Amino acid sequence: MTTVVKSSGSSSTNSRSVHPLKRLLDYGHKYHQQIWQATACSILNKLFDLAPPALIGIAVDVVVNQQDSIIARWGVKDIFGQFVILSLLTVIVWVLESAFEYAYERLWRNLAQNIQHDLRLNAYGHLQNLELAYFEERSTGGLMSILNDDINQLERFLDVGANDILQVLTTVIIISGAFFFLAPSVAWMAMLPIPAILWGTFAFQNLLAPRYADVREKVSFLNSRLANNLSGIITIKSFVAEEYESARLNRESEAYRQSNARAIKLSAAFTPLIRMLILVGFTALMVFGGISAVNGNLSVGAYSVLVYLIQRLLWPLTRLGNTFDLYQRAMASINRVMNLLDTPITIHQGDISLPIENVRGELLFDNVTFAYKDRYRVIKNLSLEIPAGKTIAIVGSTGSGKSTLIKLLLRFYDLSSGKIVLDGININNLKLADLRRCIGLVSQDVFLFHGTVAENIAYGKFDATDREIQNAAKVAEAHEFITQLPEGYNTVVGERGQKLSGGQRQRVAIARAVLKNPPILVLDEATSAVDNETEAAIQRSLERITVDRTTIAIAHRLSTIRNADRIYVMEYGQLVESGTHEELITENGIYASLWRVQSGLKLVDD
């Protein structure tokens, strides 16, 4: 199913004012036929489910009136023959009821599975296309709550609730019609509670809606806390913060519990109130209908049918509380999922293709300015030219904008002004996949996925052979330590690669970049978090893979970039110095000061 992306924030806002059920039906338009089939089976099942009371009435009529019974009027006067016909009708009714029950169960449950499957994939796919700022403003746990818990809530409603609502409505219509047909004089008494019940149901629905929206928000906060704590378990343990985090989790869980309690307090009152209204209708029919039967105005068979039907009509209404409870939870969840799907994508695709084999790797940053949302400018009117196949380095203090440049190059964000040009083409006009496919990123914060070493090296080139994976590992000087792992390349690295050391993770990341073989290589503090021996090994591998490849190296350790073709120094989002290592040392500026500090040389007065 293709997700329709809103082109502006205003359209997104308008869509959020639409009722969540309509948003769901609009989303699931390709399932309309299956919805109608499931609806028809639910209604037909209820029709045949309501038939036994009529058969009981006919049986009573045969016993009481015999040759003057309803069946006798069909031409069958023999009592035994009448009961044979009645038995055949009973078999047909029960078989059809069972068949339609099987059909609606299967249709609704498969529908629930199909919609939740598509919804989860579409929501995740849409999420992947959103700009990086969206993730920075939201917690992982909150997004997980939407993709998992909220979608599961919808599934639970479609499994059970949709069918219950349809069958209650069918029951009300069919039995109301039967009452007015069989005993119009007393039917209004039995029907008297129904308007009040329906009004109460919708009133409760309106009262419950904001309470369940609050429940969904609180569970999102709770999931966020859990996800955050599990990711930071090492920090928690090292700072002996177990009790502190347990207390914080207790507050989030208590807020969720209290939010649920407020919703339950209201929803639990629904059924007892409905029972009192039902009592009015049941008592009225039993008394006045009985008097009517005694006076001969109503047959005994009809009276027995009506007494039985009133229970079939009114008692199921008590389940409306549970059904609408499911409904409100599902609608609150649907709003959250649809709001995610309606979030506009701000990083738009270009339409120019650039096959990786045609990329030379010539880059131009032309008067680039950028500011994060609601923050000051991080990059200010920066211009920088990087010739194809050359290695340039960018250094500077923390917060000077070095890593932001890389995010802009990869189009994780779009520029505030200016342009970035690759081989003469504005990167905004390139297809995102083509742009990112030609850039290999090795960062300080290496992320390895839960899986084998081989799977992580082949990430991005998923069809790589074992030989290609091993050759890439050898270039990255990772092959030796990998072969010493318990299962070699098939060793599972654990979540985020926690079973490997920092240096090992770094070398796996470099092997991943080697295998990708991009024309542009970006090294973002690639050796800053490793020991000297590992740094030397990584440096040797980097020297091999940067040959004839456009390379951008961001580094704090100046020793790792001293051989770069050109070094740029950034401060406060601007380029303040540039030149080779020797030229910058001679200038005796910021770079020279940093070099003297890192190399242990005595500072010299300018």
Side-chain angles (χ1 to χ4, degrees):
M1 185 182 293
T2 302
T3 303
V4 178
V5 178
K6 306 296 180 184
S7 60
S8 67
S10 60
S11 61
S12 174
T13 302
N14 292 336
S15 68
R16 295 179 190 196
S17 63
V18 178
H19 193 278
L21 184 58
K22 185 179 186 308
R23 297 175 78 178
L24 175 62
L25 290 174
D26 289 344
Y27 172 83
H29 62 88
K30 80 171 188 178
Y31 292 114
H32 282 181
Q33 182 177 356
Q34 192 174 346
I35 291 172
W36 281 115
Q37 290 173 348
T39 299
C41 289
S42 290
I43 292 172
L44 288 169
N45 168 259
K46 181 50 64 175
L47 287 175
F48 288 108
D49 179 56
L50 293 173
L55 296 176
I56 292 172
I58 293 173
V60 171
D61 185 59
V62 171
V63 172
V64 173
N65 295 318
Q66 298 183 15
Q67 278 81 13
D68 295 324
S69 68
I70 295 173
I71 296 181
R73 295 173 199 165
W74 300 347
V76 181
K77 297 292 185 179
D78 179 64
I79 302 299
F80 180 76
Q82 292 184 40
F83 277 110
V84 169
I85 291 175
L86 192 59
S87 299
L88 289 174
L89 289 174
T90 301
V91 170
I92 292 171
V93 165
W94 281 70
V95 168
L96 290 175
E97 179 195 357
S98 299
F100 284 116
E101 181 174 0
Y102 169 78
Y104 84 67
E105 281 271 1
R106 184 173 178 181
L107 285 167
W108 280 119
R109 293 175 74 172
N110 281 333
L111 178 67
Q113 291 299 316
N114 292 337
I115 289 182
Q116 66 91 16
H117 173 74
D118 279 352
L119 199 55
R120 182 175 287 112
L121 290 183
N122 283 351
Y124 175 73
H126 187 75
L127 197 62
Q128 287 191 125
N129 290 324
L130 295 176
E131 72 282 4
L132 208 58
Y134 182 87
F135 298 90
E136 293 171 347
E137 294 167 3
R138 288 161 181 82
S139 69
T140 302
L143 295 175
M144 282 292 296
S145 176
I146 294 173
L147 293 175
N148 191 43
D149 195 48
D150 284 323
I151 292 176
N152 288 344
Q153 196 69 55
L154 168 65
E155 179 191 355
R156 285 190 286 272
F157 170 70
L158 290 176
D159 270 346
V160 179
N163 174 70
D164 283 351
I165 290 174
L166 284 169
Q167 294 209 332
V168 166
L169 290 175
T170 302
T171 300
V172 170
I173 293 170
I174 297 300
I175 295 182
S176 298
F179 266 72
F180 282 102
F181 176 76
L182 293 173
S185 60
V186 296
W188 66 272
M189 300 177 189
M191 299 299 110
L192 194 61
I194 290 182
I197 290 171
L198 295 177
W199 176 84
T201 297
F202 289 110
F204 264 80
Q205 176 186 337
N206 292 331
L207 290 172
L208 279 170
R211 300 195 181 199
Y212 279 124
D214 185 63
V215 168
R216 303 315 311 154
E217 184 178 3
K218 292 297 190 298
V219 77
S220 175
F221 292 155
L222 179 59
N223 284 342
S224 177
R225 175 67 60 197
L226 287 168
N228 194 58
N229 286 10
L230 291 174
S231 297
I233 192 67
I234 293 176
T235 304
I236 292 172
K237 287 179 175 294
S238 64
F239 282 89
V240 196
E242 290 89 346
E243 290 187 10
Y244 173 74
E245 289 301 340
S246 292
R248 292 213 292 179
L249 180 63
N250 177 65
R251 287 195 293 272
E252 298 287 4
S253 186
E254 178 64 19
Y256 174 55
R257 188 179 72 85
Q258 291 293 342
S259 181
N260 257 312
R262 287 190 291 273
I264 292 169
K265 181 180 179 180
L266 186 62
S267 66
F270 180 83
T271 298
L273 291 174
I274 296 299
R275 282 179 178 273
M276 295 301 101
L277 293 172
I278 288 172
L279 180 63
V280 174
F282 183 75
T283 304
L285 177 69
M286 188 169 61
V287 174
F288 293 100
I291 292 172
S292 182
V294 169
N295 293 334
N297 297 324
L298 184 66
S299 70
V300 175
Y303 177 63
S304 62
V305 170
L306 292 177
V307 170
Y308 192 84
L309 283 179
I310 191 68
Q311 297 179 69
R312 298 295 300 274
L313 169 65
L314 297 178
W315 290 116
L317 295 177
T318 62
R319 295 203 308 272
L320 278 179
N322 293 332
T323 302
F324 275 98
D325 189 77
L326 272 177
Y327 172 78
Q328 282 301 342
R329 289 177 183 268
M331 293 305 103
S333 292
I334 276 298
N335 262 337
R336 282 161 50 85
V337 178
M338 292 301 170
N339 288 346
L340 168 58
L341 282 172
D342 288 338
T343 302
I345 293 173
T346 58
I347 305 293
H348 295 291
Q349 283 272 9
D351 54 9
I352 298 178
S353 296
L354 184 61
I356 192 169
E357 59 271 14
N358 296 340
V359 176
R360 300 191 312 275
E362 181 180 270
L363 287 167
L364 171 66
F365 290 76
D366 184 12
N367 205 29
V368 170
T369 297
F370 173 75
Y372 292 103
K373 184 179 179 182
D374 301 327
R375 289 165 61 184
Y376 58 85
R377 288 184 298 172
V378 181
I379 307 292
K380 304 169 188 175
N381 304 317
L382 182 145
S383 294
L384 170 63
E385 187 173 353
I386 306 173
K390 298 296 183 180
T391 296
I392 68 110
I394 303 175
V395 301
S397 59
T398 301
S400 59
K402 306 184 300 298
S403 295
T404 299
L405 275 183
I406 304 307
K407 294 176 182 178
L408 296 176
L409 174 60
L410 285 159
R411 286 199 71 201
F412 294 156
Y413 301 93
D414 272 340
L415 307 178
S416 302
S417 63
K419 62 182 178 179
I420 300 175
V421 177
L422 170 60
D423 291 347
I425 306 171
N426 189 324
I427 63 171
N428 286 356
N429 298 327
L430 287 174
K431 291 182 178 179
L432 273 175
D434 286 354
L435 170 66
R436 292 170 181 168
R437 195 174 285 121
C438 73
I439 300 172
L441 174 63
V442 181
S443 64
Q444 174 185 359
D445 183 20
V446 174
F447 189 97
L448 299 185
F449 293 89
H450 182 73
T452 66
V453 174
E455 288 170 342
N456 275 281
I457 293 176
Y459 198 82
K461 188 178 180 182
F462 305 103
D463 59 349
T465 64
D466 291 343
R467 180 177 292 277
E468 289 175 321
I469 292 170
Q470 291 177 20
N471 286 339
K474 289 175 182 176
V475 172
E477 300 208 8
H479 179 73
E480 183 178 348
F481 90 78
I482 293 173
T483 55
Q484 293 174 0
L485 294 173
E487 297 180 55
Y489 282 84
N490 292 320
T491 300
V492 175
V493 301
E495 190 173 2
R496 301 181 67 90
Q498 60 189 354
K499 293 183 179 180
L500 302 181
S501 70
Q504 289 172 335
R505 289 197 297 271
Q506 199 74 51
R507 280 184 269 184
V508 169
I510 293 172
R512 185 161 60 192
V514 170
L515 186 60
K516 184 180 181 181
N517 194 26
I520 301 170
L521 181 65
V522 176
L523 307 171
D524 188 1
E525 306 284 4
T527 62
S528 63
V530 297
D531 57 68
N532 292 334
E533 182 181 350
T534 303
E535 180 186 356
I538 291 175
Q539 201 61 41
R540 288 194 300 271
S541 63
L542 291 178
E543 288 172 2
R544 290 195 292 271
I545 66 175
T546 56
V547 174
D548 297 327
R549 193 190 308 269
T550 302
T551 304
I552 303 173
I554 294 175
H556 277 302
R557 294 185 183 180
L558 304 186
S559 60
T560 62
I561 50 91
R562 63 179 299 174
N563 296 323
D565 295 305
R566 196 160 190 83
I567 299 170
Y568 294 91
V569 182
M570 287 188 69
E571 284 294 323
Y572 305 110
Q574 295 177 309
L575 295 179
V576 294
E577 294 179 12
S578 69
T580 64
H581 172 77
E582 289 74 17
E583 290 170 348
L584 291 173
I585 291 296
T586 303
E587 286 182 14
N588 207 25
I590 295 174
Y591 181 87
S593 297
L594 290 172
W595 175 257
R596 286 195 294 268
V597 170
Q598 291 189 18
S599 61
L601 298 177
K602 185 178 178 180
L603 294 176
V604 179
D605 293 333
D606 294 333

